[in-house]
Amino acid sequence: MARDSKYDILFEPIQIGPKTLRNRFYQVPHCNGAGSEKPGMQAYNRGMKAEGGWAAVCTEYCSIHPESDDTSRVSARIWDEGDVRNLAAMCDRLHHFGALAGIEMWYGGPHAPCMESRATPRGPSQIPSEFEINIHPRYMDEDDIAEVQQMYVDAALRARDAGFDIVYVYGAHSYLPLQFLSPFYNKRSDRYGGSFENRARFWKECLEKVREAVGDDCAIASRFAVDTLYGSAGIEVGEDGVRFVEYVDELVDLWDLTVGDIAEWGQNAGPSRFFEENHEKPFTGQIKAGDHTNKPVVGVGRVTNPDTMVAIINSGQFDIIGAARPSISDPFLPSKIEEGRFDDVRECIGCNQCISRWEIGGPPLVCTQNATAGEEYRRGWHPEKFHPAANSDKGVLVIGAGPAGMECAMVLGKRRMSAVHLVDANREIGGCVNWISLLGHSDGGENLARGSARGLGEWKRIVNYRQIQLDKLSNVQVHTNSGLSAQDVLDYGAEIVIVATGCHFATDGLNPATHAQIEGADTSLDWQLTPDEVVSESKRIGKRVLVLENEGYFMGVSVAQKLAGEGHEVHLLTQMGDIAGYMEYTLEAPMLHRDLHRLGVDIRPYTMLEKIEPGICHAYNIWDEAHKEQLEVDTVVLCTQRISNDELYRELKSDKAKLEAEGIEQVFLIGDASAPRMIVDSIFDGHRLGREIDSPNPAMPLPFIRERRLWGEVSNDDYRAQLLNTPDVAVA
Amino acid sequence: MARDSKYDILFEPIQIGPKTLRNRFYQVPHCNGAGSEKPGMQAYNRGMKAEGGWAAVCTEYCSIHPESDDTSRVSARIWDEGDVRNLAAMCDRLHHFGALAGIEMWYGGPHAPCMESRATPRGPSQIPSEFEINIHPRYMDEDDIAEVQQMYVDAALRARDAGFDIVYVYGAHSYLPLQFLSPFYNKRSDRYGGSFENRARFWKECLEKVREAVGDDCAIASRFAVDTLYGSAGIEVGEDGVRFVEYVDELVDLWDLTVGDIAEWGQNAGPSRFFEENHEKPFTGQIKAGDHTNKPVVGVGRVTNPDTMVAIINSGQFDIIGAARPSISDPFLPSKIEEGRFDDVRECIGCNQCISRWEIGGPPLVCTQNATAGEEYRRGWHPEKFHPAANSDKGVLVIGAGPAGMECAMVLGKRRMSAVHLVDANREIGGCVNWISLLGHSDGGENLARGSARGLGEWKRIVNYRQIQLDKLSNVQVHTNSGLSAQDVLDYGAEIVIVATGCHFATDGLNPATHAQIEGADTSLDWQLTPDEVVSESKRIGKRVLVLENEGYFMGVSVAQKLAGEGHEVHLLTQMGDIAGYMEYTLEAPMLHRDLHRLGVDIRPYTMLEKIEPGICHAYNIWDEAHKEQLEVDTVVLCTQRISNDELYRELKSDKAKLEAEGIEQVFLIGDASAPRMIVDSIFDGHRLGREIDSPNPAMPLPFIRERRLWGEVSNDDYRAQLLNTPDVAVA
């Protein structure tokens, strides 16, 4: 299918300095967990986007020197010749597919704790990081400034040698250049502090020196937070925001604009729960619209809708559509738009699971929508290509059309299994997503300082995408309103049976804190509820509600938001030190805390329930079980733990002779029915089984390539040589 | 020097199954951050202990299968032939120095979140981990049990091939075998649950199968928590503790005994702040003393005193002295005892910085006492060997005898610099350690359920060790009571000047939360204090005290403990979500929380001070600055941030001509005087400069070897071959 001409603007080339972007799709720097240590993953994860049509693809933040070491988080690094070699693999793969390669040169100052290098980070003034625990920088005198600027130059030269086309001087997210620019970090009284020109000097000089070094060979980009969102204490778009762009515009070939800082970078990578598409426009949109730059501008906003993209360019907001998360969710977004295949786009749901792994530090990225993200190299998975299964003659019955079942059936369909039946007892496919996507909003929360409590509605895209794909697959049949007994399954006629029957919440208080039931907990009573019953509104909920949150992710707090927003008095108890700890990793926590605070929810950390009686809950402090409290409440909601719906699987498995007699060769258990987990992991589980349905033992995942040093394959001397070859470091 | 005969027992060999330990010093499994991915670090860090006289040295917990993947934390792994190759490097190095190599085979169940492998962990019953966020296991049916037991067998065979002498079936710290044994995890009603024999069956069968597979070639060890310390809900030493040892004693060649679980494993790796030497004796001591085993027993307890070691063996507590932290702090502990060099022992201070890096996930281990820990391979540092400096003819003046200055002077002395003068303005060397080591106790806290608030006294070992070493170095002179002005330094006559003048607490409320002073903050007033003033008792402290804790580590809470213990009413405010976040990583947090709770300290997270007035502090909630509160207090203690004492350095540096005229060739700034940091990092900073004083630019650390894949050095096919060669996995 040819593209609609209204999208032509998205495919017009554009010049940035000495380089040309083939179209307007640009993968801005984002983390993926590969760094410079997993060169295969780095090359193939980024390369998939080049193959999918992006005009430029960047590294994540890339440290220019061991003094900027973010361990345990994973950044790229361009410290030495080994890094040049490893990142060159990425550049080569991008160039092979016609994309430009960008590198985001990064010096973190006090935000880089240097736990691997053990170096001392430097900063403009000696104030500890607001993002790390107790990391003070060393004050930079003018010698330090010159040294660090030389680090940018040396890194840029190495980057050019590795094959990069675009070299960033990265100052967004409160890293060093912005630390000099912002009065929040810069308290100096010398020529690098005080006036705007003084505060801008460090960044300007970096740009000059990098341009001098590589500006004929590479485009020079700068990523800049036009507003740090805390008023005059930092950068405000109407003040230093536009001023800085104008001041150094001649030194920059491309502006990559963001908002926010590092401590709340969810203002930039806005979760859908609190931010809508193109939410940064009020800030980043002012630069080009106000004629403050003569250079191309790229910006982001979780934009997946091609009409929004066209509007962004035509309205003069940006010249280039930047994307991080939408490019993870669908590396082929540009190709699909070009080919008019809009309904094949896997739209980002804004859950920020990808980000959570960077925040945790160490794990590779994951994506709820795209189970192949991060698996391109190590498992050889391609998001758009599926090999026909070796056992494609088999018929498959998938029971349960939740995240795991939908995904598995879709993959099996694409692998050309002769017949795939996806059967669900409910009226619609989607499983838990159908009710979870109704959560997360309060009464709107428009009064929140930043963001609004708009809820998890975009998570429904999980279902929408798969529904469309399943509809297109002629070898897949979907049957809803069809509960199956074990006998029904035996009679069905499929050779392969996949049980994906999901899970349910514990009804008796069984929980990870005490590993026991809670006395008096019983959600068969009309005043005790599981979280799904809150959504279904199947029970009357009293004025005073206690929500027990033992999971640490979104469920308990979402229930609390909903009920408090409806006017209930809510106590929110957790055995942990803080509620919803995982939402720190998804960047949702600050907005969540603001909303719960606004709603007046009574949050009690380190608190657990001992006993539930009508009207009274008996709680205790986990540090002293003798310290008890009684809470008078009308309704109790138990978000304690989940339990797999695996009875059907157990029954089928219990009689292997019967399975054999009915021609059932294999029975598998996936998703929450195997072990309750996050949606991202359920989808992965279903996808994995589909990809490996023809392996010798599909129940056991095949091994994946682990990129690591193999002792003896490369000698210690050769390892050391990778350092010695680095021009700017002298080794004794 | 020959050893005292009273220590002979420590050097008697002992048989464990088919293997012989050369003496009674045994490095029990502990993490170091190397895993199977950094084979050089693994081989050289462990190898240093073999060189230092330990009879056996073990890996950290070593995963037997991708289904037990602890990413982001770093475990060893023996999943494939690549791991065999990498861990063989460790075995070879241990054998070279005459030590046995042990491997701790680990399957974590729900405590292993599998964020790299994305596999589904299995467990005896479906209850989420109390240690992780929201990780549910898959329920193990009998097929699952057989599969996982085969994983142990296959891993043991690979371990034998790698060269390991001792193979563990690891069940301590609440991992899978103990999950089956303990009713806290095991709620089964089949033949693997219920009665003691049923709960013990999984572990017993594992031992039988592993013994059958490799028991002629390897000693079989088991690490067992004899008491999980939460009563009848788990394992109690007097019940299932002794019962289990007796039940499987014939299958085990060595018992490695611990206490506690994973969620509170600080009960095992007890921080000195709450636990004294040999603190596990009341539990682990019962097994051998009660004649419940016929096999050798090893156990730990942060034991560094050789007399305690002798008593442990002679009293029948253990046969073998186990150590994790003392072996990190001094890899040559056995040799030094054998040679009668007791005063050269670098005794572990029990700060648990080593453990903090494992908890953080990713970073290599660090050690406050031993700056070479983890640096043996990548920087080539040996804890006991120092190359004479190439510029040893130079005289060195070190100003400031705190952690960084003491360490640097000691290293320079050992590197045979012609003259090193260590000068300090105070009466004693030690710097901040002298007053910090007086903190951390409350009124004893003997009523704590577990541990007692005994304080940071053992941290004083930092000073003691260095004092003794400095005294032995004839080329080092220590001058106390000697403050030096810039002119004094210029006149001193040293060619190299090292400024290590420490830091002080902000007196005006400057802090990482707001990056600004706090209105009204002024510790020149008699009712506002910096933390050191609390210790020095230089000001009268009123009944009602507010402690502002902005750092996230030990200072604010230690002050709160002390004052509350003395009867003050204490409010403890922090801008963070919980107080003292870093103490989660050092395993001190649970005991700390119990003590603060016991003391009635009013803890206010997410709270910051806006203004301080006599008698009244104005606080606000960080999620809504309009939400204000007034607290009536008599005294305010400001633990906000620290500031380097770098005036002397700045003054010296300001006139390079003058330096040259006086023959001063180099001036360096180290430790807190460069950037305030944790003591472990100050000591490292001083050590690093001493090691590299003769490099081309000693101010910049030399590069270190980074163990990583280098793209193209080993082909993708060879990488894949490392999987294909693995016997027990079939690859399509």
Side-chain angles (χ1 to χ4, degrees), chain A residues 355-401:
Chain A
I355 289 164
S356 74
R357 302 305 158 107
W358 177 78
E359 286 274 337
I360 289 170
L365 96 166
V366 296
C367 176
T368 299
Q369 282 282 61
N370 176 13
T372 71
E375 308 293 349
E376 302 87 354
Y377 175 77
R378 68 175 192 166
R379 296 193 213 253
W381 291 358
H382 189 293
E384 304 299 324
K385 293 181 185 168
F386 296 82
H387 302 291
N391 57 351
S392 62
D393 57 315
K394 306 295 183 189
V396 187
L397 170 62
V398 181
I399 307 154

Side-chain angles (χ1 to χ4, degrees), chain B residues 264-314:
Chain B
E264 278 209 36
W265 73 281
Q267 295 291 323
N268 173 222
S272 63
R273 189 184 175 106
F274 294 104
F275 297 96
E276 61 188 359
E277 189 180 60
N278 199 20
H279 60 93
E280 297 181 31
K281 182 181 179 183
F283 301 97
T284 54
Q286 290 189 38
I287 301 302
K288 196 174 161 65
D291 273 336
H292 299 290
T293 176
N294 296 312
K295 300 299 174 66
V297 174
V298 63
V300 298
R302 213 177 68 255
V303 181
T304 56
N305 182 329
D307 295 315
T308 309
M309 296 175 189
V310 168
I312 284 171
I313 294 177
N314 285 340

Side-chain angles (χ1 to χ4, degrees), chain B residues 79-96:
Chain B
W79 296 353
D80 58 30
E81 287 302 304
D83 292 331
V84 170
R85 172 194 286 265
N86 282 1
L87 292 175
M90 166 186 156
C91 294
D92 291 348
R93 197 149 174 91
L94 296 181
H95 293 156
H96 173 71

Side-chain angles (χ1 to χ4, degrees), chain B residues 695-711:
Chain B
S695 77
N697 178 10
M700 286 298 294
L702 292 173
F704 51 88
I705 297 178
R706 289 159 59 202
E707 299 190 77
R708 68 195 136 160
R709 178 181 186 182
L710 292 173
W711 185 258

